[in-house]
Amino acid sequence: MKSYLEKLRSRRLAVTPQRLAVLAALETLADHPTAERIYQEVRRQIPAISFNTVYKALEVFCQKGLVTKVNPLHEIARYDKTIEEHGHLICRGCHRIIDLVWNPPPLTSLSPETLNGFLPEHQRLTVWGLCRSCQESQNIKED
Ligand SMILES: [Zn+2]
Ligand SMILES: [Zn+2]
């Protein structure tokens, strides 16, 4: 609990039991949980907490750089306790998001011609595919 306290204080955020519980849930649910999943986990400790409170805490954490948001296109936001630059492997079978500790070379080093005049500001590698267990079970939900 102490490190969660320090995390909040380092970002000048008021320490509340709700915020502490949300941070703890993010730590417990290692696999890039949705706000809904975090809410379910926090409710085990604070049954009276509302979804909105959990959601607002997550958004504040994102603004303050305590967590990051993974936004695969056309999907519900997933939250990430890892704020260091890293890529994601997204399984199209079970929708698991796996951290990839490897970063491609920055696009800013490419010529403007190659980039079609696009000005890159932030890049994060996202790769879709099938995780090991989905390959093994062949249990693929096509959508
Ligand atoms: Zn999978
Ligand atoms: Zn991640």
Side-chain angles (χ1 to χ4, degrees):
M1 254 339 189
K2 192 165 176 280
S3 70
Y4 300 140
L5 263 166
E6 279 159 9
K7 268 190 176 183
L8 291 174
R9 283 182 181 150
S10 72
R11 311 290 160 139
R12 299 171 183 278
L13 287 167
V15 176
T16 64
Q18 288 85 354
R19 284 178 172 168
L20 290 172
V22 170
L23 284 176
L26 272 160
E27 200 61 44
T28 310
L29 308 165
D31 180 30
H32 306 86
T34 60
E36 178 63 33
R37 182 77 188 80
I38 295 163
Y39 168 61
Q40 297 301 338
E41 181 68 23
V42 172
R43 262 200 349 188
R44 290 160 50 153
Q45 283 187 50
I46 309 174
I49 199 165
S50 72
F51 176 78
N52 205 35
T53 302
V54 171
Y55 183 77
K56 277 197 290 195
L58 287 166
E59 289 301 304
V60 169
F61 294 167
C62 283
Q63 281 164 24
K64 298 284 182 176
L66 273 183
V67 297
T68 57
K69 211 190 265 189
V70 189
N71 266 337
L73 295 173
H74 317 300
E75 273 228 26
I76 313 162
R78 307 262 295 256
Y79 295 88
D80 197 338
K81 68 187 167 72
T82 308
I83 52 174
E84 289 79 29
E85 286 291 322
H86 64 286
H88 286 124
L89 307 171
I90 302 180
C91 179
R92 64 178 169 84
C94 64
H95 297 179
R96 205 148 72 94
I97 300 178
I98 302 155
D99 284 338
L100 176 67
V101 191
W102 178 82
N103 288 306
L107 287 185
T108 42
S109 62
L110 296 176
S111 73
E113 290 74 46
T114 310
L115 288 166
N116 270 310
F118 188 84
L119 179 65
E121 291 172 343
H122 175 76
Q123 73 180 61
R124 175 186 260 187
L125 184 67
T126 304
V127 180
W128 279 267
L130 280 178
C131 75
R132 191 180 308 175
S133 58
C134 284
Q135 290 172 57
E136 281 163 6
S137 68
Q138 298 288 314
N139 177 25
I140 304 154
K141 289 177 270 171
E142 294 290 351
D143 38 33

Short mmCIF file of all heavy atoms in Angstrom, two decimals, residues 32 80 86 88 99, ligand 2:
data_model
loop_
_atom_site.label_atom_id
_atom_site.label_comp_id
_atom_site.label_asym_id
_atom_site.label_seq_id
_atom_site.Cartn_x
_atom_site.Cartn_y
_atom_site.Cartn_z
N HIS A 32 -3.71 -5.77 -18.79
CA HIS A 32 -4.35 -4.63 -19.46
C HIS A 32 -5.87 -4.66 -19.32
O HIS A 32 -6.59 -4.78 -20.31
CB HIS A 32 -3.97 -4.60 -20.94
CG HIS A 32 -2.49 -4.61 -21.18
ND1 HIS A 32 -1.76 -5.76 -21.26
CD2 HIS A 32 -1.60 -3.60 -21.34
CE1 HIS A 32 -0.49 -5.46 -21.46
NE2 HIS A 32 -0.37 -4.16 -21.51
N ASP A 80 -3.17 0.35 -18.71
CA ASP A 80 -1.85 -0.26 -18.63
C ASP A 80 -1.07 0.36 -17.49
O ASP A 80 -0.86 1.56 -17.47
CB ASP A 80 -1.14 0.00 -19.97
CG ASP A 80 0.06 -0.91 -20.17
OD1 ASP A 80 0.58 -1.41 -19.16
OD2 ASP A 80 0.45 -1.10 -21.32
N HIS A 86 6.57 0.76 -24.63
CA HIS A 86 6.61 -0.65 -25.01
C HIS A 86 5.52 -0.93 -26.03
O HIS A 86 4.58 -0.16 -26.17
CB HIS A 86 6.45 -1.57 -23.78
CG HIS A 86 5.12 -1.45 -23.10
ND1 HIS A 86 4.77 -0.39 -22.32
CD2 HIS A 86 4.05 -2.28 -23.09
CE1 HIS A 86 3.55 -0.56 -21.85
NE2 HIS A 86 3.08 -1.70 -22.31
N HIS A 88 2.68 -3.67 -28.04
CA HIS A 88 1.65 -4.61 -27.63
C HIS A 88 1.38 -5.65 -28.69
O HIS A 88 1.31 -5.35 -29.88
CB HIS A 88 0.35 -3.86 -27.31
CG HIS A 88 0.43 -3.12 -26.02
ND1 HIS A 88 0.19 -1.78 -25.92
CD2 HIS A 88 0.73 -3.54 -24.78
CE1 HIS A 88 0.35 -1.40 -24.66
NE2 HIS A 88 0.68 -2.45 -23.94
N ASP A 99 2.51 -7.52 -23.39
CA ASP A 99 3.55 -6.51 -23.54
C ASP A 99 4.70 -7.03 -24.39
O ASP A 99 5.12 -8.17 -24.25
CB ASP A 99 4.10 -6.10 -22.16
CG ASP A 99 3.13 -5.18 -21.43
OD1 ASP A 99 2.28 -4.56 -22.10
OD2 ASP A 99 3.22 -5.10 -20.20
ZN ZN B 2 1.28 -2.84 -21.96
#
